[in-house]
Coordinates of all heavy atoms in Angstrom, one line a residue:
M13 N -5.8 -6.4 -17.0 CA -5.9 -4.9 -16.7 C -5.1 -4.2 -17.9 O -4.1 -4.6 -18.3 CB -5.2 -4.6 -15.4 CG -5.4 -3.1 -15.0 SD -5.2 -2.8 -13.2 CE -3.4 -3.2 -13.1
G14 N -5.7 -3.1 -18.3 CA -5.2 -2.4 -19.5 C -4.0 -1.6 -19.1 O -3.7 -1.3 -17.9
L15 N -3.2 -1.1 -20.1 CA -2.0 -0.3 -19.9 C -2.3 0.9 -19.2 O -1.6 1.4 -18.2 CB -1.3 -0.1 -21.2 CG 0.0 0.7 -21.1 CD1 1.0 -0.1 -20.4 CD2 0.5 1.0 -22.5
R16 N -3.5 1.6 -19.5 CA -3.8 2.9 -19.0 C -4.1 2.7 -17.5 O -3.7 3.5 -16.6 CB -5.0 3.4 -19.7 CG -5.4 4.8 -19.2 CD -6.6 5.3 -19.9 NE -6.3 5.6 -21.3 CZ -7.2 6.2 -22.2 NH1 -8.4 6.4 -21.8 NH2 -6.8 6.4 -23.4
Q17 N -4.8 1.6 -17.1 CA -5.1 1.4 -15.7 C -3.9 1.1 -14.9 O -3.7 1.4 -13.8 CB -6.1 0.2 -15.7 CG -7.1 0.2 -14.5 CD -8.0 -0.9 -14.6 OE1 -8.0 -1.7 -15.5 NE2 -8.8 -1.0 -13.6
R18 N -2.9 0.4 -15.6 CA -1.7 0.0 -14.9 C -0.9 1.3 -14.6 O -0.3 1.4 -13.6 CB -0.9 -1.0 -15.8 CG -0.1 -1.9 -14.9 CD 0.3 -3.2 -15.6 NE 0.6 -3.1 -17.0 CZ 0.1 -3.9 -17.9 NH1 -0.6 -4.9 -17.6 NH2 0.4 -3.8 -19.2
N19 N -0.8 2.1 -15.6 CA -0.1 3.4 -15.4 C -0.7 4.2 -14.3 O -0.1 4.8 -13.5 CB -0.1 4.2 -16.7 CG 0.9 3.7 -17.7 OD1 1.8 3.0 -17.3 ND2 0.7 4.0 -19.0
W20 N -2.1 4.2 -14.3 CA -2.8 4.9 -13.2 C -2.4 4.4 -11.8 O -2.1 5.1 -10.9 CB -4.3 4.8 -13.5 CG -5.1 5.4 -12.3 CD1 -5.4 6.7 -12.1 CD2 -5.7 4.6 -11.2 NE1 -6.2 6.8 -10.9 CE2 -6.4 5.6 -10.4 CE3 -5.7 3.3 -10.9 CZ2 -7.0 5.2 -9.3 CZ3 -6.4 2.9 -9.8 CH2 -7.1 3.8 -8.9
A21 N -2.4 3.0 -11.7 CA -2.1 2.3 -10.5 C -0.7 2.7 -10.1 O -0.5 2.9 -8.9 CB -2.3 0.8 -10.7
R22 N 0.2 2.7 -11.0 CA 1.6 3.1 -10.7 C 1.7 4.5 -10.2 O 2.3 4.8 -9.1 CB 2.5 2.9 -11.9 CG 4.0 2.9 -11.5 CD 4.8 2.6 -12.7 NE 4.5 1.3 -13.4 CZ 4.5 1.1 -14.7 NH1 4.6 2.1 -15.5 NH2 4.2 -0.1 -15.1
R23 N 1.0 5.4 -10.8 CA 1.0 6.8 -10.4 C 0.4 7.0 -9.1 O 1.0 7.7 -8.2 CB 0.2 7.7 -11.4 CG 1.1 8.3 -12.5 CD 0.4 9.5 -13.1 NE -1.0 9.3 -13.4 CZ -1.5 8.7 -14.5 NH1 -0.7 8.3 -15.5 NH2 -2.8 8.6 -14.7
E24 N -0.7 6.3 -8.8 CA -1.3 6.4 -7.5 C -0.5 5.9 -6.4 O -0.5 6.4 -5.3 CB -2.7 5.7 -7.6 CG -3.8 6.5 -8.2 CD -4.0 7.9 -7.4 OE1 -4.4 7.8 -6.2 OE2 -3.8 8.9 -8.0
T25 N 0.2 4.8 -6.7 CA 1.1 4.2 -5.7 C 2.2 5.1 -5.3 O 2.5 5.4 -4.1 CB 1.8 2.9 -6.3 OG1 0.7 2.0 -6.6 CG2 2.6 2.2 -5.3
I26 N 2.8 5.8 -6.3 CA 3.9 6.8 -6.1 C 3.3 7.9 -5.3 O 3.9 8.4 -4.3 CB 4.5 7.3 -7.4 CG1 5.2 6.1 -8.0 CG2 5.4 8.5 -7.2 CD1 5.6 6.3 -9.5
R27 N 2.1 8.4 -5.6 CA 1.5 9.5 -5.0 C 1.2 9.2 -3.5 O 1.5 10.0 -2.6 CB 0.2 9.9 -5.7 CG -0.3 11.3 -5.4 CD -1.5 11.6 -6.2 NE -2.6 10.8 -5.8 CZ -3.5 11.2 -4.8 NH1 -3.3 12.3 -4.2 NH2 -4.5 10.4 -4.5
L28 N 0.6 8.0 -3.3 CA 0.3 7.6 -1.9 C 1.6 7.5 -1.1 O 1.6 7.9 0.1 CB -0.5 6.3 -1.9 CG -1.9 6.3 -2.4 CD1 -2.5 4.9 -2.4 CD2 -2.8 7.2 -1.5
K29 N 2.6 6.9 -1.6 CA 3.8 6.8 -0.9 C 4.4 8.1 -0.6 O 4.9 8.3 0.5 CB 4.8 5.9 -1.7 CG 4.5 4.4 -1.6 CD 5.6 3.6 -2.3 CE 5.3 2.1 -2.1 NZ 6.2 1.3 -2.8
A30 N 4.3 9.1 -1.5 CA 4.8 10.4 -1.2 C 4.1 11.1 -0.1 O 4.6 11.7 0.8 CB 4.7 11.3 -2.5
L31 N 2.7 10.9 -0.1 CA 1.9 11.4 1.0 C 2.3 10.8 2.3 O 2.1 11.5 3.4 CB 0.4 11.1 0.7 CG -0.3 12.0 -0.4 CD1 -1.6 11.5 -0.8 CD2 -0.4 13.5 0.1
L32 N 2.8 9.6 2.3 CA 3.2 9.0 3.6 C 4.6 9.2 3.9 O 5.2 8.7 4.8 CB 2.9 7.4 3.4 CG 1.4 7.1 3.4 CD1 1.2 5.6 3.0 CD2 0.8 7.3 4.8
G33 N 5.3 10.1 3.1 CA 6.6 10.5 3.5 C 7.8 9.7 2.8 O 8.9 10.0 3.1
N34 N 7.4 8.7 2.1 CA 8.4 7.9 1.4 C 9.4 7.2 2.3 O 10.6 7.1 2.0 CB 9.1 8.7 0.3 CG 8.4 8.6 -1.0 OD1 7.7 7.6 -1.4 ND2 8.4 9.7 -1.8
A35 N 9.0 6.9 3.5 CA 9.9 6.3 4.5 C 9.2 5.3 5.4 O 8.0 5.5 5.6 CB 10.6 7.4 5.3
C36 N 9.9 4.4 5.9 CA 9.3 3.4 6.8 C 8.9 4.1 8.1 O 9.7 4.9 8.7 CB 10.4 2.3 7.1 SG 9.8 1.1 8.4
A37 N 7.7 3.8 8.5 CA 7.1 4.5 9.7 C 7.9 4.1 11.0 O 7.8 4.7 12.0 CB 5.6 4.2 9.8
H38 N 8.5 2.9 10.8 CA 9.2 2.4 12.0 C 10.6 2.7 12.1 O 11.1 3.2 13.2 CB 9.0 0.8 11.9 CG 8.9 0.1 13.2 ND1 7.7 0.1 13.9 CD2 9.7 -0.5 13.9 CE1 7.8 -0.5 15.0 NE2 9.1 -1.0 15.1
C39 N 11.4 2.5 11.1 CA 12.8 2.7 11.1 C 13.3 3.9 10.2 O 14.5 4.2 10.3 CB 13.6 1.4 10.9 SG 13.5 0.9 9.1
G40 N 12.5 4.4 9.4 CA 12.8 5.6 8.6 C 13.6 5.2 7.3 O 13.9 6.1 6.5
I41 N 13.7 3.9 7.0 CA 14.4 3.5 5.8 C 13.6 3.9 4.6 O 12.3 4.0 4.7 CB 14.7 2.0 5.9 CG1 16.2 1.8 5.9 CG2 14.1 1.3 4.7 CD1 16.6 0.3 6.1
T42 N 14.2 4.2 3.4 CA 13.5 4.7 2.3 C 13.4 3.7 1.1 O 13.1 4.1 0.0 CB 14.0 6.0 1.8 OG1 15.4 5.9 1.5 CG2 13.9 7.1 2.9
S43 N 13.8 2.5 1.3 CA 13.8 1.5 0.3 C 12.9 0.3 0.7 O 12.7 0.0 1.8 CB 15.2 1.0 -0.1 OG 15.9 0.5 1.0
N44 N 12.5 -0.5 -0.3 CA 11.7 -1.6 -0.1 C 10.4 -1.3 0.7 O 10.0 -2.1 1.6 CB 12.4 -2.8 0.5 CG 13.5 -3.4 -0.4 OD1 13.3 -3.4 -1.6 ND2 14.6 -3.8 0.2
L45 N 9.7 -0.2 0.4 CA 8.6 0.2 1.1 C 7.3 -0.6 0.7 O 7.1 -0.8 -0.5 CB 8.4 1.7 1.0 CG 9.6 2.5 1.6 CD1 9.4 4.0 1.3 CD2 9.7 2.3 3.1
Q46 N 6.5 -0.9 1.7 CA 5.3 -1.6 1.4 C 4.2 -0.9 2.2 O 4.4 -0.4 3.3 CB 5.4 -3.0 1.9 CG 6.6 -3.7 1.3 CD 6.8 -5.1 1.9 OE1 6.2 -5.5 2.9 NE2 7.6 -5.9 1.2
F47 N 3.0 -0.9 1.6 CA 1.8 -0.4 2.3 C 1.4 -1.3 3.5 O 1.5 -2.5 3.4 CB 0.6 -0.2 1.4 CG 0.8 0.9 0.4 CD1 0.8 0.6 -0.9 CD2 0.9 2.2 0.8 CE1 1.0 1.7 -1.9 CE2 1.0 3.2 -0.1 CZ 1.1 3.0 -1.4
D48 N 1.1 -0.7 4.6 CA 0.7 -1.5 5.8 C -0.6 -0.8 6.4 O -0.6 0.4 6.6 CB 1.8 -1.5 6.8 CG 1.3 -2.3 8.0 OD1 1.1 -3.6 7.8 OD2 1.2 -1.7 9.1
I49 N -1.6 -1.6 6.6 CA -2.8 -1.2 7.2 C -2.6 -1.3 8.7 O -2.3 -2.3 9.3 CB -4.0 -2.1 6.9 CG1 -4.2 -2.2 5.3 CG2 -5.3 -1.5 7.5 CD1 -4.5 -0.9 4.6
I50 N -2.6 -0.1 9.4 CA -2.3 -0.1 10.8 C -3.2 -1.0 11.7 O -2.8 -1.8 12.4 CB -2.3 1.4 11.4 CG1 -1.2 2.2 10.6 CG2 -2.0 1.4 12.8 CD1 -1.3 3.7 10.7
E51 N -4.5 -0.7 11.6 CA -5.5 -1.6 12.2 C -6.0 -2.5 11.2 O -6.8 -2.1 10.3 CB -6.7 -0.7 12.8 CG -6.4 0.1 14.0 CD -6.1 -0.8 15.3 OE1 -6.8 -1.9 15.3 OE2 -5.3 -0.5 16.1
S52 N -5.6 -3.7 11.2 CA -5.9 -4.7 10.1 C -7.3 -4.8 9.9 O -8.1 -4.9 10.8 CB -5.3 -6.1 10.5 OG -5.6 -7.0 9.5
M53 N -7.7 -4.8 8.6 CA -9.1 -5.0 8.2 C -9.3 -6.4 7.6 O -10.2 -6.6 6.8 CB -9.4 -4.0 7.1 CG -9.0 -2.5 7.4 SD -10.1 -1.7 8.6 CE -11.5 -1.4 7.5
G54 N -8.4 -7.3 7.9 CA -8.4 -8.6 7.2 C -7.7 -8.6 6.0 O -7.0 -7.6 5.6
D55 N -7.6 -9.7 5.3 CA -6.8 -9.7 4.1 C -7.6 -9.8 2.8 O -7.1 -10.2 1.7 CB -5.8 -10.9 4.1 CG -6.6 -12.3 4.2 OD1 -7.8 -12.3 4.2 OD2 -5.8 -13.3 4.1
A56 N -8.8 -9.4 2.9 CA -9.7 -9.5 1.7 C -9.2 -8.7 0.5 O -9.3 -9.1 -0.6 CB -11.1 -9.0 2.0
H57 N -8.6 -7.5 0.8 CA -8.0 -6.7 -0.3 C -6.9 -7.3 -0.9 O -6.5 -6.9 -2.1 CB -7.7 -5.3 0.3 CG -6.5 -5.3 1.3 ND1 -6.7 -5.8 2.6 CD2 -5.2 -4.9 1.2 CE1 -5.6 -5.7 3.3 NE2 -4.7 -5.2 2.5
H58 N -6.2 -8.3 -0.4 CA -5.1 -9.0 -1.0 C -5.6 -9.8 -2.3 O -4.8 -10.0 -3.2 CB -4.4 -9.9 -0.1 CG -3.6 -9.2 0.9 ND1 -2.7 -9.8 1.8 CD2 -3.5 -7.9 1.2 CE1 -2.2 -8.9 2.6 NE2 -2.6 -7.7 2.3
R59 N -6.8 -10.1 -2.3 CA -7.3 -10.9 -3.4 C -7.9 -10.1 -4.5 O -8.3 -10.6 -5.5 CB -8.4 -11.9 -2.9 CG -7.8 -13.0 -2.0 CD -8.8 -14.1 -1.6 NE -9.8 -13.6 -0.7 CZ -9.7 -13.6 0.6 NH1 -8.6 -14.1 1.1 NH2 -10.7 -13.1 1.3
C60 N -7.9 -8.8 -4.3 CA -8.5 -7.9 -5.2 C -7.5 -7.4 -6.2 O -6.3 -7.4 -6.0 CB -9.2 -6.8 -4.6 SG -10.6 -7.3 -3.6
E61 N -8.0 -6.9 -7.3 CA -7.1 -6.3 -8.3 C -6.6 -4.9 -7.9 O -7.1 -4.3 -6.9 CB -7.8 -6.2 -9.7 CG -9.0 -5.3 -9.6 CD -9.6 -5.2 -11.0 OE1 -9.2 -4.2 -11.7 OE2 -10.4 -6.0 -11.4
W62 N -5.5 -4.5 -8.5 CA -4.8 -3.2 -8.0 C -5.7 -2.1 -7.9 O -5.7 -1.3 -7.0 CB -3.8 -2.9 -9.1 CG -2.5 -3.7 -8.9 CD1 -2.3 -4.9 -8.3 CD2 -1.2 -3.3 -9.3 NE1 -1.0 -5.3 -8.3 CE2 -0.3 -4.3 -8.9 CE3 -0.7 -2.1 -9.9 CZ2 1.1 -4.2 -9.1 CZ3 0.6 -2.1 -10.2 CH2 1.5 -3.1 -9.8
S63 N -6.6 -1.8 -8.9 CA -7.4 -0.6 -8.9 C -8.2 -0.6 -7.7 O -8.4 0.5 -7.0 CB -8.2 -0.5 -10.2 OG -9.0 -1.7 -10.3
W64 N -8.8 -1.7 -7.3 CA -9.6 -1.8 -6.1 C -8.7 -1.6 -4.9 O -9.1 -0.9 -3.9 CB -10.3 -3.2 -6.0 CG -11.4 -3.2 -5.0 CD1 -12.7 -2.9 -5.2 CD2 -11.2 -3.4 -3.6 NE1 -13.4 -3.0 -4.0 CE2 -12.5 -3.3 -3.0 CE3 -10.1 -3.7 -2.8 CZ2 -12.7 -3.5 -1.6 CZ3 -10.3 -3.9 -1.4 CH2 -11.6 -3.8 -0.8
R65 N -7.6 -2.2 -4.9 CA -6.7 -2.1 -3.7 C -6.2 -0.7 -3.5 O -6.1 -0.2 -2.4 CB -5.5 -3.0 -3.9 CG -5.9 -4.5 -3.6 CD -4.8 -5.4 -4.0 NE -3.6 -5.1 -3.3 CZ -2.6 -6.0 -3.2 NH1 -2.7 -7.2 -3.8 NH2 -1.5 -5.7 -2.6
I66 N -6.0 0.1 -4.6 CA -5.5 1.4 -4.4 C -6.6 2.3 -3.8 O -6.4 3.1 -3.0 CB -5.0 1.9 -5.8 CG1 -3.6 1.3 -6.0 CG2 -4.8 3.5 -5.8 CD1 -3.1 1.5 -7.4
S67 N -7.8 2.1 -4.3 CA -9.0 2.8 -3.7 C -9.1 2.5 -2.2 O -9.3 3.3 -1.4 CB -10.3 2.4 -4.4 OG -10.2 2.6 -5.8
F68 N -8.9 1.2 -1.9 CA -8.9 0.8 -0.5 C -7.8 1.5 0.3 O -8.1 2.0 1.4 CB -8.7 -0.7 -0.4 CG -8.6 -1.3 1.0 CD1 -9.7 -1.5 1.7 CD2 -7.4 -1.6 1.5 CE1 -9.6 -2.0 3.0 CE2 -7.2 -2.2 2.7 CZ -8.4 -2.3 3.5
Y69 N -6.6 1.5 -0.2 CA -5.4 2.1 0.5 C -5.7 3.6 0.6 O -5.4 4.2 1.6 CB -4.1 1.9 -0.3 CG -3.6 0.5 -0.2 CD1 -3.1 -0.2 -1.2 CD2 -3.5 -0.1 1.1 CE1 -2.5 -1.4 -1.2 CE2 -3.0 -1.4 1.2 CZ -2.5 -2.0 0.1 OH -2.0 -3.3 0.2
R70 N -6.3 4.2 -0.4 CA -6.6 5.7 -0.3 C -7.6 6.0 0.8 O -7.4 6.9 1.5 CB -7.1 6.1 -1.7 CG -7.0 7.6 -1.9 CD -6.9 7.9 -3.4 NE -7.9 7.3 -4.2 CZ -8.1 7.5 -5.5 NH1 -7.3 8.3 -6.1 NH2 -9.0 6.9 -6.1
A71 N -8.6 5.1 0.9 CA -9.6 5.3 2.0 C -8.9 5.1 3.3 O -9.2 5.9 4.3 CB -10.7 4.3 1.8
Q72 N -8.0 4.2 3.4 CA -7.3 3.9 4.7 C -6.4 5.1 5.0 O -6.3 5.5 6.2 CB -6.5 2.7 4.6 CG -7.3 1.4 4.5 CD -8.3 1.2 5.5 OE1 -8.0 1.3 6.7 NE2 -9.6 1.0 5.1
L73 N -5.8 5.7 4.0 CA -5.0 6.9 4.2 C -5.8 8.0 4.8 O -5.4 8.7 5.8 CB -4.3 7.3 2.9 CG -3.4 8.5 2.9 CD1 -2.2 8.3 3.7 CD2 -3.1 9.0 1.5
V74 N -7.0 8.3 4.2 CA -7.9 9.3 4.7 C -8.2 9.1 6.2 O -8.3 10.0 7.0 CB -9.2 9.4 3.8 CG1 -10.2 10.3 4.4 CG2 -8.8 9.9 2.5
M75 N -8.4 7.8 6.6 CA -8.8 7.5 7.9 C -7.5 7.3 8.8 O -7.6 6.9 10.0 CB -9.6 6.1 8.0 CG -10.8 6.2 7.2 SD -12.0 4.8 7.4 CE -11.0 3.4 7.1
K76 N -6.4 7.7 8.3 CA -5.1 7.7 9.0 C -4.8 6.2 9.5 O -4.3 6.0 10.6 CB -5.1 8.6 10.2 CG -5.5 10.1 9.9 CD -4.4 11.0 10.3 CE -4.7 12.5 10.0 NZ -4.6 12.8 8.6
N77 N -5.2 5.3 8.6 CA -5.0 3.9 9.0 C -4.0 3.2 8.0 O -3.9 2.0 7.9 CB -6.3 3.2 9.0 CG -6.2 1.8 9.7 OD1 -5.5 1.6 10.6 ND2 -7.0 0.9 9.2
L78 N -3.2 4.1 7.3 CA -2.2 3.5 6.4 C -0.8 4.0 6.7 O -0.7 5.2 7.0 CB -2.6 3.9 5.0 CG -1.8 3.3 3.8 CD1 -2.1 1.8 3.6 CD2 -2.1 4.1 2.5
Q79 N 0.1 3.2 6.7 CA 1.5 3.6 6.9 C 2.4 2.8 5.9 O 2.0 1.9 5.3 CB 1.9 3.3 8.3 CG 2.0 1.9 8.7 CD 2.4 1.6 10.2 OE1 2.6 2.6 10.9 NE2 2.4 0.4 10.5
L80 N 3.7 3.3 5.8 CA 4.7 2.6 5.0 C 5.6 1.9 6.0 O 6.0 2.4 7.0 CB 5.5 3.6 4.2 CG 4.8 4.2 3.0 CD1 5.7 5.3 2.4 CD2 4.3 3.2 2.0
L81 N 5.9 0.6 5.6 CA 6.9 -0.1 6.4 C 7.9 -0.7 5.4 O 7.5 -1.0 4.2 CB 6.2 -1.3 7.1 CG 5.4 -1.0 8.3 CD1 4.8 -2.2 9.0 CD2 6.2 -0.2 9.4
C82 N 9.1 -0.8 5.7 CA 10.1 -1.4 4.9 C 9.9 -2.9 5.0 O 9.2 -3.4 5.9 CB 11.5 -1.1 5.3 SG 12.0 -1.7 6.9
E83 N 10.5 -3.7 4.2 CA 10.3 -5.1 4.1 C 10.6 -5.8 5.5 O 9.9 -6.7 5.9 CB 11.2 -5.7 3.0 CG 10.6 -6.9 2.3 CD 11.5 -7.4 1.2 OE1 12.3 -6.6 0.7 OE2 11.3 -8.6 0.9
T84 N 11.7 -5.3 6.1 CA 12.1 -5.9 7.4 C 11.1 -5.7 8.4 O 10.7 -6.7 9.2 CB 13.4 -5.4 7.8 OG1 14.3 -5.3 6.7 CG2 14.1 -6.1 8.9
C85 N 10.6 -4.5 8.6 CA 9.6 -4.1 9.6 C 8.3 -4.8 9.3 O 7.6 -5.3 10.2 CB 9.5 -2.6 9.7 SG 10.9 -1.8 10.4
N86 N 8.0 -4.9 8.1 CA 6.7 -5.5 7.7 C 6.7 -7.0 8.0 O 5.7 -7.5 8.4 CB 6.4 -5.3 6.2 CG 4.9 -5.3 5.9 OD1 4.1 -5.4 6.7 ND2 4.6 -5.2 4.6
K87 N 7.8 -7.6 7.8 CA 7.9 -9.1 8.2 C 7.7 -9.3 9.6 O 7.2 -10.4 10.0 CB 9.2 -9.6 7.7 CG 9.2 -10.1 6.3 CD 10.5 -10.7 5.9 CE 10.6 -11.0 4.4 NZ 11.9 -10.8 3.8
R88 N 8.0 -8.3 10.4 CA 7.9 -8.5 11.9 C 6.4 -8.4 12.3 O 6.0 -8.9 13.4 CB 8.7 -7.4 12.6 CG 10.1 -7.6 12.6 CD 10.9 -6.8 13.7 NE 12.3 -6.7 13.3 CZ 12.9 -5.6 13.1 NH1 12.2 -4.4 13.2 NH2 14.1 -5.5 12.7
K89 N 5.7 -7.8 11.5 CA 4.2 -7.7 11.8 C 3.5 -9.0 11.3 O 3.9 -9.6 10.3 CB 3.6 -6.5 11.0 CG 3.6 -5.2 11.8 CD 2.7 -4.2 11.2 CE 1.2 -4.4 11.4 NZ 0.4 -3.3 11.2
A90 N 2.5 -9.3 12.0 CA 1.8 -10.6 11.7 C 1.1 -10.4 10.4 O 1.1 -11.4 9.6 CB 0.8 -10.9 12.8
D91 N 0.4 -9.3 10.1 CA -0.3 -9.3 8.9 C 0.5 -8.5 7.8 O 1.0 -7.5 8.0 CB -1.7 -8.6 9.1 CG -1.7 -7.1 8.9 OD1 -1.1 -6.4 9.7 OD2 -2.2 -6.6 7.9
H92 N 0.6 -9.2 6.7 CA 1.5 -8.8 5.6 C 0.7 -8.0 4.5 O -0.5 -8.3 4.3 CB 2.2 -10.0 5.0 CG 3.3 -10.5 5.8 ND1 4.6 -10.5 5.4 CD2 3.3 -11.1 7.0 CE1 5.3 -11.1 6.3 NE2 4.5 -11.4 7.3
D93 N 1.4 -7.1 3.9 CA 0.8 -6.5 2.8 C 1.8 -6.6 1.6 O 3.0 -6.4 1.8 CB 0.5 -5.0 3.1 CG -0.9 -4.7 3.0 OD1 -1.6 -5.1 2.0 OD2 -1.4 -4.0 3.8
D94 N 1.3 -6.9 0.5 CA 2.2 -7.1 -0.7 C 2.8 -5.8 -1.1 O 2.2 -4.8 -1.0 CB 1.4 -7.7 -1.9 CG 0.9 -9.1 -1.6 OD1 1.5 -9.8 -0.7 OD2 -0.2 -9.4 -2.1
P95 N 4.1 -5.9 -1.5 CA 4.7 -4.7 -2.2 C 4.0 -4.4 -3.5 O 3.6 -5.3 -4.1 CB 6.1 -5.1 -2.3 CG 6.1 -6.5 -2.4 CD 5.0 -7.0 -1.6
F96 N 4.0 -3.2 -3.9 CA 3.5 -2.9 -5.3 C 4.7 -2.9 -6.2 O 5.7 -2.4 -6.0 CB 2.8 -1.5 -5.3 CG 1.4 -1.7 -5.0 CD1 0.9 -2.7 -4.2 CD2 0.5 -0.7 -5.5 CE1 -0.5 -2.8 -4.0 CE2 -0.9 -0.9 -5.3 CZ -1.4 -1.9 -4.5
Ligands
ZN129 ZN1 11.5 -0.3 8.7

């Protein structure tokens, strides 16, 4: 992936996290945040490249199916999402 695409991915990640309030939906912590799909859609997106995943996360956000969880809360959930 090119540098420009990587910068875009980073910007989009920051933007999406800001839209989600930059805090864990569960405990309110603001560090080690990871995207979490509320109603799991399977793990197919884990195998995809960032640009595809960000589009996926953005679509989930629109459908109100995306939240932020801190590492601790995310580990408690069965389905994991990688940190960016
Ligand atoms: Zn938490």
Side-chain angles (χ1 to χ4, degrees):
M13 184 161 68
L15 181 65
R16 183 179 294 184
Q17 211 177 355
R18 209 155 40 221
N19 284 336
W20 172 83
R22 194 178 299 139
R23 267 202 315 276
E24 278 302 294
T25 301
I26 290 167
R27 201 177 66 88
L28 287 178
K29 283 186 172 174
L31 284 170
L32 290 165
N34 274 325
C36 174
H38 214 76
C39 69
I41 248 176
T42 56
S43 56
N44 291 327
L45 297 172
Q46 309 174 343
F47 289 116
D48 179 64
I49 308 296
I50 298 166
E51 287 290 327
S52 179
M53 314 281 284
D55 63 355
H57 63 289
H58 286 186
R59 292 188 288 275
C60 296
E61 58 177 270
W62 278 26
S63 55
W64 192 94
R65 285 171 57 164
I66 285 168
S67 303
F68 174 79
Y69 285 137
R70 200 152 51 177
Q72 296 302 310
L73 177 71
V74 170
M75 299 193 307
K76 308 237 183 284
N77 195 32
L78 185 71
Q79 64 182 1
L80 288 175
L81 287 180
C82 69
E83 215 178 337
T84 314
C85 293
N86 205 4
K87 269 185 192 142
R88 287 200 199 117
K89 269 192 76 164
D91 93 287
H92 286 242
D93 242 317
D94 297 331
F96 267 29

